[in-house]
Amino acid sequence: MKKEAKPAFLYGVSVGGDNFTDRVRETRRLKMNFENGLNVILISPRRMGKTSLVKHVAQEVDKEIVQTVYMDIYDCRSEYDFYNKFAEAIMMQTGSKIEHTLDNIRQFLTRISPKLSINPDPSTEYSISLGITPKEYSPEEILSLPERMANHIGKHIVVCIDEFQQVGEWPDSLLVQKRMRGVWQHHTHASYCLFGSRQHMMNQLFQNKRMPFYQFGEPNYLQPIPTEDWIPFIQSKFEKKDLTISDTYVRQICDIVGNQSSYVQQLSWDVMLNTEKTVDDEALEAGINDLLMQCTPLFMEQTGGLTSYQLNLLRAIVDGQHTQWTSQEVLSKYGLGTKSNVAKMQKVMLERDFIVSTEQGLFLADPVMKLWLQHR
Ligand SMILES: Nc1ncnc2c1ncn2[C@@H]1O[C@H](COP(=O)(O)OP(=O)(O)O)[C@@H](O)[C@H]1O
Ligand SMILES: [Mg+2]
């Protein structure tokens, strides 16, 4: 079999092509929503595959009727930061050529003069900076661009906004959310796919009755890719390198990282690098050690600022304690302080996405952090 020079596994960036597996049901559903103009909210922990999925769907939609516009607002720090990114993405992605884009800007954003820069990066070719301030355009005028552009190009526009939870961090966040919803809910030729990690913040924005975005769109919680789908994917990657891995070991890899997509690929890669011919216990063990080593600097940083009470809470959870947080025995066994202390601490740890709360109690959000704490 021919060997390839490209890496067998890819993690930490959004993936497509033959690095993208499964998600057949999710793709179909999102595609239908996009083509039928339904708003979508997509939530999952980090690195589960939201960005990859949305980009995949954007490729799959019927381009005769739908134009998708993708933007990542992770680095937007304020309302007008966002409006600039928003308008730039819409203008750049609805014009098929640079001339179209500039024409559209002249027609729809007459009060500003755009700055054009040619990128050395061939994938984007050029970028445009609009420099919109409240003097030139009101929030409502910018927020209504998708609907107006949709009418202009004669297609439905789906605006996909990645890392949407950032909205919750801005000054006057609530007011901005009201403005957004106020304008977008009247759009009939534009719809919105709002997605993000930071589960706590996303739930706060979308699942709270008092918040403007409550019931704005169809909520989707992206689930992990099932082990059964990882088995053929991972086995074929090993085969391409003349190596083999049995079902059992793929299952173990998936279990260890709680099927979290990025970690599945990362651990598979670490195991592959430790495999001579066929994956065995030693290769798996060595792969896990490599993974833990790679994660150590990040986990040290993340846990470095925690109080000893907070660390004790994590240790208790890692030790298998998920409920009974008011029991005196549990409190003293793990050194958690008073009942009210624990309640406050849990709130903070939930807000910071260290832990998640399920029907079965509290769990660590990051399965590899759990393993790392166990090893210490
Ligand atoms: N459908 C998929 N098939 C295979 N691997 C995936 C898939 N989706 C995500 N991954 C893995 O997870 C990593 C993170 O994906 P990404 O889309 O960036 O997640 P998110 O946007 O939820 O943080 C990717 O680099 C890849 O390793
Ligand atoms: Mg992402």
Side-chain angles (χ1 to χ4, degrees), residues 148-172:
R148 293 167 60 210
M149 285 307 292
N151 290 323
H152 180 66
I153 64 173
K155 285 186 200 180
H156 188 88
I157 290 182
V158 181
V159 183
C160 304
I161 309 183
D162 204 344
E163 306 292 358
F164 190 77
Q165 76 280 346
Q166 284 306 120
V167 172
E169 309 278 356
W170 299 340
D172 293 322

Short mmCIF file of all heavy atoms in Angstrom, two decimals, residues 148-172:
data_model
loop_
_atom_site.label_atom_id
_atom_site.label_comp_id
_atom_site.label_asym_id
_atom_site.label_seq_id
_atom_site.Cartn_x
_atom_site.Cartn_y
_atom_site.Cartn_z
N ARG A 148 -30.87 42.27 3.54
CA ARG A 148 -30.76 43.11 2.35
C ARG A 148 -29.86 42.46 1.30
O ARG A 148 -30.16 42.49 0.11
CB ARG A 148 -30.24 44.49 2.74
CG ARG A 148 -31.27 45.26 3.60
CD ARG A 148 -30.68 46.47 4.26
NE ARG A 148 -30.17 47.43 3.28
CZ ARG A 148 -29.14 48.25 3.50
NH1 ARG A 148 -28.52 48.22 4.67
NH2 ARG A 148 -28.73 49.07 2.57
N MET A 149 -28.77 41.83 1.75
CA MET A 149 -27.89 41.16 0.79
C MET A 149 -28.57 39.93 0.18
O MET A 149 -28.35 39.61 -0.98
CB MET A 149 -26.58 40.73 1.47
CG MET A 149 -25.60 41.85 1.74
SD MET A 149 -25.23 42.84 0.28
CE MET A 149 -24.33 41.66 -0.71
N ALA A 150 -29.38 39.26 1.00
CA ALA A 150 -30.10 38.09 0.48
C ALA A 150 -31.00 38.51 -0.67
O ALA A 150 -31.04 37.85 -1.73
CB ALA A 150 -30.90 37.43 1.59
N ASN A 151 -31.71 39.59 -0.49
CA ASN A 151 -32.57 40.08 -1.57
C ASN A 151 -31.74 40.48 -2.78
O ASN A 151 -32.14 40.23 -3.92
CB ASN A 151 -33.40 41.27 -1.07
CG ASN A 151 -34.45 40.83 -0.08
OD1 ASN A 151 -35.04 39.75 -0.23
ND2 ASN A 151 -34.70 41.62 0.94
N HIS A 152 -30.60 41.05 -2.51
CA HIS A 152 -29.73 41.51 -3.60
C HIS A 152 -29.19 40.34 -4.43
O HIS A 152 -29.19 40.40 -5.66
CB HIS A 152 -28.58 42.31 -3.00
CG HIS A 152 -27.62 42.86 -4.01
ND1 HIS A 152 -27.98 43.83 -4.93
CD2 HIS A 152 -26.31 42.58 -4.26
CE1 HIS A 152 -26.94 44.11 -5.68
NE2 HIS A 152 -25.91 43.36 -5.30
N ILE A 153 -28.75 39.28 -3.78
CA ILE A 153 -28.16 38.16 -4.54
C ILE A 153 -29.20 37.11 -4.93
O ILE A 153 -28.89 36.16 -5.64
CB ILE A 153 -26.99 37.48 -3.80
CG1 ILE A 153 -27.46 36.82 -2.48
CG2 ILE A 153 -25.86 38.47 -3.52
CD1 ILE A 153 -26.37 35.99 -1.80
N GLY A 154 -30.42 37.28 -4.44
CA GLY A 154 -31.49 36.35 -4.82
C GLY A 154 -31.32 34.95 -4.25
O GLY A 154 -31.74 33.96 -4.84
N LYS A 155 -30.66 34.86 -3.09
CA LYS A 155 -30.52 33.56 -2.41
C LYS A 155 -30.78 33.76 -0.94
O LYS A 155 -30.62 34.88 -0.43
CB LYS A 155 -29.08 33.05 -2.53
CG LYS A 155 -28.70 32.51 -3.87
CD LYS A 155 -27.30 31.91 -3.74
CE LYS A 155 -26.65 31.80 -5.10
NZ LYS A 155 -25.31 31.22 -5.01
N HIS A 156 -31.12 32.66 -0.28
CA HIS A 156 -31.24 32.71 1.18
C HIS A 156 -29.82 32.77 1.77
O HIS A 156 -28.94 32.08 1.30
CB HIS A 156 -31.97 31.46 1.68
CG HIS A 156 -32.29 31.53 3.12
ND1 HIS A 156 -33.46 32.09 3.59
CD2 HIS A 156 -31.58 31.15 4.21
CE1 HIS A 156 -33.45 32.04 4.92
NE2 HIS A 156 -32.33 31.46 5.32
N ILE A 157 -29.64 33.59 2.78
CA ILE A 157 -28.31 33.65 3.43
C ILE A 157 -28.39 33.02 4.83
O ILE A 157 -29.31 33.31 5.59
CB ILE A 157 -27.80 35.11 3.54
CG1 ILE A 157 -27.46 35.62 2.14
CG2 ILE A 157 -26.59 35.20 4.46
CD1 ILE A 157 -26.89 37.03 2.11
N VAL A 158 -27.46 32.12 5.10
CA VAL A 158 -27.34 31.57 6.46
C VAL A 158 -26.06 32.12 7.07
O VAL A 158 -24.96 31.86 6.57
CB VAL A 158 -27.27 30.03 6.45
CG1 VAL A 158 -27.18 29.50 7.89
CG2 VAL A 158 -28.48 29.43 5.74
N VAL A 159 -26.21 32.90 8.13
CA VAL A 159 -25.06 33.49 8.79
C VAL A 159 -24.64 32.56 9.93
O VAL A 159 -25.41 32.33 10.87
CB VAL A 159 -25.40 34.89 9.35
CG1 VAL A 159 -24.16 35.53 9.97
CG2 VAL A 159 -25.97 35.78 8.25
N CYS A 160 -23.44 32.02 9.83
CA CYS A 160 -22.96 31.07 10.85
C CYS A 160 -21.96 31.79 11.75
O CYS A 160 -20.90 32.23 11.28
CB CYS A 160 -22.25 29.89 10.19
SG CYS A 160 -23.29 29.05 8.99
N ILE A 161 -22.29 31.94 13.01
CA ILE A 161 -21.42 32.69 13.92
C ILE A 161 -20.82 31.76 14.96
O ILE A 161 -21.50 31.23 15.83
CB ILE A 161 -22.18 33.85 14.59
CG1 ILE A 161 -22.89 34.70 13.52
CG2 ILE A 161 -21.21 34.71 15.40
CD1 ILE A 161 -23.61 35.91 14.06
N ASP A 162 -19.50 31.56 14.82
CA ASP A 162 -18.75 30.63 15.67
C ASP A 162 -18.28 31.34 16.94
O ASP A 162 -18.01 32.54 16.90
CB ASP A 162 -17.53 30.13 14.88
CG ASP A 162 -17.02 28.78 15.38
OD1 ASP A 162 -17.39 28.39 16.50
OD2 ASP A 162 -16.25 28.14 14.64
N GLU A 163 -18.19 30.59 18.03
CA GLU A 163 -17.79 31.14 19.35
C GLU A 163 -18.74 32.26 19.76
O GLU A 163 -18.33 33.29 20.29
CB GLU A 163 -16.33 31.62 19.33
CG GLU A 163 -15.31 30.59 18.85
CD GLU A 163 -15.12 29.40 19.80
OE1 GLU A 163 -15.74 29.38 20.89
OE2 GLU A 163 -14.36 28.49 19.45
N PHE A 164 -20.01 32.03 19.53
CA PHE A 164 -21.02 33.06 19.79
C PHE A 164 -21.09 33.45 21.26
O PHE A 164 -21.52 34.55 21.61
CB PHE A 164 -22.39 32.58 19.31
CG PHE A 164 -23.44 33.65 19.32
CD1 PHE A 164 -23.48 34.62 18.33
CD2 PHE A 164 -24.38 33.73 20.35
CE1 PHE A 164 -24.42 35.64 18.36
CE2 PHE A 164 -25.34 34.74 20.38
CZ PHE A 164 -25.35 35.69 19.38
N GLN A 165 -20.65 32.55 22.16
CA GLN A 165 -20.72 32.85 23.59
C GLN A 165 -19.96 34.13 23.96
O GLN A 165 -20.23 34.74 24.99
CB GLN A 165 -20.20 31.68 24.43
CG GLN A 165 -18.70 31.49 24.47
CD GLN A 165 -18.13 30.81 23.24
OE1 GLN A 165 -18.88 30.24 22.46
NE2 GLN A 165 -16.83 30.85 23.05
N GLN A 166 -19.04 34.57 23.09
CA GLN A 166 -18.31 35.81 23.36
C GLN A 166 -19.24 36.99 23.60
O GLN A 166 -18.92 37.90 24.36
CB GLN A 166 -17.38 36.16 22.18
CG GLN A 166 -16.13 35.33 22.10
CD GLN A 166 -15.34 35.36 23.38
OE1 GLN A 166 -15.11 34.32 23.99
NE2 GLN A 166 -14.93 36.54 23.81
N VAL A 167 -20.39 36.96 22.93
CA VAL A 167 -21.39 38.03 23.08
C VAL A 167 -21.66 38.30 24.57
O VAL A 167 -21.80 39.45 24.98
CB VAL A 167 -22.70 37.63 22.36
CG1 VAL A 167 -23.81 38.61 22.66
CG2 VAL A 167 -22.47 37.52 20.86
N GLY A 168 -21.71 37.23 25.34
CA GLY A 168 -22.01 37.36 26.76
C GLY A 168 -20.96 38.11 27.56
O GLY A 168 -21.19 38.48 28.70
N GLU A 169 -19.78 38.30 26.98
CA GLU A 169 -18.68 38.94 27.69
C GLU A 169 -18.57 40.43 27.40
O GLU A 169 -17.76 41.13 28.01
CB GLU A 169 -17.33 38.30 27.29
CG GLU A 169 -17.28 36.79 27.36
CD GLU A 169 -17.02 36.28 28.77
OE1 GLU A 169 -16.80 37.12 29.66
OE2 GLU A 169 -17.03 35.06 28.96
N TRP A 170 -19.32 40.94 26.45
CA TRP A 170 -19.15 42.34 26.05
C TRP A 170 -19.79 43.30 27.04
O TRP A 170 -20.73 42.95 27.74
CB TRP A 170 -19.78 42.58 24.67
CG TRP A 170 -19.18 41.77 23.58
CD1 TRP A 170 -17.96 41.16 23.59
CD2 TRP A 170 -19.79 41.45 22.33
NE1 TRP A 170 -17.76 40.48 22.40
CE2 TRP A 170 -18.87 40.65 21.62
CE3 TRP A 170 -21.00 41.76 21.73
CZ2 TRP A 170 -19.13 40.16 20.35
CZ3 TRP A 170 -21.27 41.28 20.46
CH2 TRP A 170 -20.34 40.49 19.78
N PRO A 171 -19.30 44.56 27.02
CA PRO A 171 -20.00 45.59 27.79
C PRO A 171 -21.42 45.73 27.23
O PRO A 171 -21.61 45.59 26.01
CB PRO A 171 -19.18 46.86 27.50
CG PRO A 171 -17.92 46.43 26.85
CD PRO A 171 -18.12 45.08 26.29
N ASP A 172 -22.38 46.00 28.07
CA ASP A 172 -23.79 46.15 27.65
C ASP A 172 -24.29 44.95 26.88
O ASP A 172 -25.09 45.08 25.94
CB ASP A 172 -23.97 47.40 26.76
CG ASP A 172 -23.74 48.67 27.53
OD1 ASP A 172 -24.14 48.71 28.71
OD2 ASP A 172 -23.14 49.60 26.96
#
